[in-house]
Amino acid sequence: MINVDVVVIGSGAGGSIASFELTRRGFKVALLEEGERINLENSYKSYTSTLSSIEILRTKCLGGSTLVSLGNMVFDASIINKIKNYGIDLTEEIEAVKRLMHVAEIPSYMLSPFALKFMDVTERRGLNPKIMPKSIRYDKCSACGMCAYGCPNNAKYTALDIIELGEKQGLNVITNLKVESLHRQPLEGEIIVNGVRYGEKLKVKCRALVLAAGALETPKLLAQVHDDEKIGQNLFIDPFVTIGGPYDGPSSNMGIQMAAYVDCGDFLLSPHYSGLLPFQLKVKGVKSEGRQMASIMVKIADQGEGRVWPNGIIEARMVKKDLEVLERGIEQAKEILVEMGVKENEIAITPIRGAHPGGTAAIGSVVSRDLTINGCDGVFVTDASLIPPPLGKPPIMLIMALALKVSQRVCEYLRR
């Protein structure tokens, strides 16, 4: 039996920040991760498939999806105000995350020719393109375009960097641990986490439990210690497609991906290459081998009509409004590509996928506006489950800022 003040389950954007912050504040913390510790350059091996009608991209490793994210750290007014509407001011937390993750816009000299072309065309169309803020060591970045597969140069700042800071201050990191059950002991004010590691049973006892296993796993864990029919509802997945085709110009598969973006409110456009595009073009009868490619991601803010059921079944859904928004985004992207020089009859679209699942223990629904859970003392949530739909933008900055705010609530609970 391991005895600690706090157990954090999940080591991605939220779990890394929460475990680091609580350790920094002097608490004894155990960070539990089902996956293994791997090098950033090998993180493409951590992708796992999700059984759902729409494929949802996810990973299983120490550091979670931050290892294969594109380093996007959006913190615009629409996101800040969305959370402010729930009475939560994240101004200080966002500044703290920016320092921790070294967030900065991509230097102009590192913008790829295709990103510059995208910005030029969208500017002429009055779409107000912006350079994407990233958490990247630009002095190490070779602009190879491999961000979604890890990073061969260890140029990205990820949750691993935060976890390593925590370890230097005493954070206990336990990888390869599959959590099997949670048991609350209300009279003792303790929670028992039962898991299996390398075939051996392991128990960890704590006074506070922080769930950060992601929006697809956290509701299944939370349902073991809290009875609320809203747990698992409101699943959003930020559906996206990549649309593109061959042309005579700079290729979208070279350079930092999603280096710029256009915020159209309910959808986002950004330069992005997908390895699925050549196959889609081949199916359409378009030869792309040896040709340059122009391609754009269309990401929408879906309404959050999906669900994670208590038995673990994941139901990702897009309603009529979502499909209409996606179609508008595709048409906008298609017009941009044609203006770039892509022939309209040589444009293909990848299948719809989900990138940022969230909403399954949302603020204002399962979690109270003060970031505690009524009737479930000592249990907290600090991942994308907290985010009320819709979102439609990269969520890592928001998750990390919320994790800092939740950490304050954990401290208040433990010091009561």
Side-chain angles (χ1 to χ4, degrees), residues 386-403:
L386 283 175
I387 303 171
L391 184 63
K393 295 182 177 70
I396 290 179
M397 171 65 83
L398 176 55
I399 294 169
M400 288 185 163
L402 282 169

Side-chain angles (χ1 to χ4, degrees), residues 18-152:
S19 59
F20 162 74
E21 180 66 10
L22 291 165
T23 301
R24 187 185 70 82
R25 288 174 179 247
F27 295 104
K28 190 175 181 181
V29 182
L31 175 61
L32 312 184
E33 168 57 48
E34 183 177 353
E36 60 183 339
R37 187 190 293 253
I38 58 177
N39 294 328
L40 188 57
E41 62 184 12
N42 294 321
S43 52
Y44 67 93
K45 298 176 181 178
S46 68
Y47 278 113
T48 63
S49 59
T50 300
L51 294 177
S52 173
S53 57
I54 301 173
E55 181 186 11
I56 304 174
L57 302 179
R58 58 196 297 205
T59 59
K60 187 183 294 184
C61 61
L62 190 67
S65 61
T66 68
L67 272 65
V68 295
S69 76
L70 304 182
N72 299 331
M73 299 293 279
V74 175
F75 50 94
D76 62 21
S78 66
I79 294 179
I80 295 171
N81 291 334
K82 174 184 178 70
I83 302 301
K84 265 190 177 179
N85 290 336
Y86 291 88
I88 302 170
D89 185 357
L90 295 176
T91 304
E92 292 183 6
E93 288 76 15
I94 285 174
E95 291 304 313
V97 173
K98 285 166 65 176
R99 292 191 296 270
L100 271 173
M101 297 296 289
H102 304 268
V103 177
E105 286 188 353
I106 302 171
S108 57
Y109 67 87
M110 292 201 71
L111 291 170
S112 70
F114 181 76
L116 292 170
K117 190 176 183 70
F118 171 86
M119 294 182 69
D120 179 55
V121 172
T122 53
E123 183 71 44
R124 290 202 306 266
R125 296 176 67 86
L127 295 177
N128 189 29
K130 299 176 183 177
I131 297 175
M132 183 73 77
K134 301 265 189 180
S135 52
I136 294 177
R137 299 174 177 87
Y138 293 111
D139 59 332
K140 289 188 174 183
C141 179
S142 62
C144 64
M146 296 295 289
C147 297
Y149 302 96
C151 178

Side-chain angles (χ1 to χ4, degrees), residues 294-312:
S295 53
I296 297 170
M297 174 188 286
V298 181
K299 180 191 297 293
I300 75 162
D302 60 307
Q303 298 302 300
E305 295 291 336
R307 181 162 187 177
V308 177
W309 293 89
N311 60 5

